[in-house]
């Protein structure tokens, strides 16, 4: 398969771990997927199966994390619910300017809003093992690295 970028070289397939920055989060690695790499221009094309399932698994990990959601996590969760900024404001009972402040990180989401968002995700995605009372609420907890591995057709967190 020819590279779509330079239209010169043939893409070479390898199995690699992939730092999945496209999801908007900086701490996500996909373990052992097929990546097409152009030896000419360096263009990279990851082949990610079942992206919807991958995003569901990520959403599940995010709502179970300790401490406040980061701006990037809020954006990720909103998108994973398929909501626009206006939808988000409606579901969260706030106005749109508030959404923008949360998503740009200019204002931290207060705990009740944070928990409301997690609850919406848990309900929307039928996540049954989320228990808000188990969360540790401490600031400055760095998001832990998330490593996802495909097991047959289901994305699971890798050890
Ligand atoms: Zn190329």
């Amino acid at each position: 398969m020819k590279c779509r970028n330079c239209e010169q070289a043939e893409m070479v397939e390898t199995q690699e771990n992939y730092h999945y920055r496209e999801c908007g989060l900086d701490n996500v690695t996909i373990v052992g997927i097929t990546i097409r790499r152009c030896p000419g221009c360096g263009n990279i094309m990851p082949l990610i199966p079942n992206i919807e399932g991958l995003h569901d698994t990520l959403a599940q990990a995010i709502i179970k994390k300790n401490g406040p959601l980061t701006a990037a996590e809020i954006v990720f969760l909103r998108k994973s619910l398929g909501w626009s900024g206006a939808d988000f404001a409606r579901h969260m009972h706030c106005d749109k300017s508030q959404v923008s402040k949360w998503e740009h990180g200019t204002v931290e989401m207060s705990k009740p809003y944070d928990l409301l968002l997690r609850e919406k995700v848990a309900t929307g995605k039928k996540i049954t093992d989320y228990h808000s009372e188990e969360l540790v609420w401490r600031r400055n907890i760095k998001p832990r690295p998330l490593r996802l591995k495909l097991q047959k057709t289901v994305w699971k967190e890798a050890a």
Side-chain angles (χ1 to χ4, degrees), residues 68-120:
L69 295 169
T70 66
E73 288 165 343
I74 292 165
V75 174
F76 180 87
L77 291 177
R78 170 175 64 73
K79 287 183 180 167
S80 85
L81 289 163
W83 291 348
S84 67
D87 296 332
F88 193 32
R90 202 173 64 250
H91 285 286
M92 298 295 281
H93 312 281
C94 65
D95 60 57
K96 272 195 280 181
S97 66
Q98 186 65 53
V99 170
S100 164
K101 286 175 194 161
W102 288 331
E103 296 197 344
H104 289 96
T106 50
V107 172
E108 188 179 90
M109 207 178 229
S110 64
K111 190 174 177 184
Y113 278 120
D114 182 308
L115 293 180
L116 176 60
L117 173 55
R118 295 183 201 224
E119 204 62 55
K120 299 270 183 192

Side-chain angles (χ1 to χ4, degrees), residues 3-6 11-12 14 16-19 21-22 33-48:
C3 172
R4 271 186 224 154
N5 187 44
C6 64
M11 302 288 271
V12 177
T14 55
E16 290 176 36
N17 294 345
Y18 184 67
H19 188 177
R21 291 188 188 83
E22 296 90 322
I33 53 163
T34 302
I35 292 179
R36 290 195 181 130
R37 201 179 275 282
C38 173
C41 70
N43 182 29
I44 290 174
M45 206 171 98
L47 304 181
I48 307 174

Side-chain angles (χ1 to χ4, degrees), residues 103-149:
E103 296 197 344
H104 289 96
T106 50
V107 172
E108 188 179 90
M109 207 178 229
S110 64
K111 190 174 177 184
Y113 278 120
D114 182 308
L115 293 180
L116 176 60
L117 173 55
R118 295 183 201 224
E119 204 62 55
K120 299 270 183 192
V121 174
T123 308
K125 301 202 170 291
K126 301 183 173 64
I127 297 168
T128 54
D129 60 345
Y130 161 70
H131 307 287
S132 58
E133 67 279 5
E134 289 172 5
L135 298 173
V136 175
W137 210 265
R138 199 155 38 76
R139 279 203 167 65
N140 305 322
I141 301 176
K142 265 187 75 179
R144 66 186 171 86
L146 297 174
R147 293 167 56 82
L148 288 302
K149 195 166 196 268

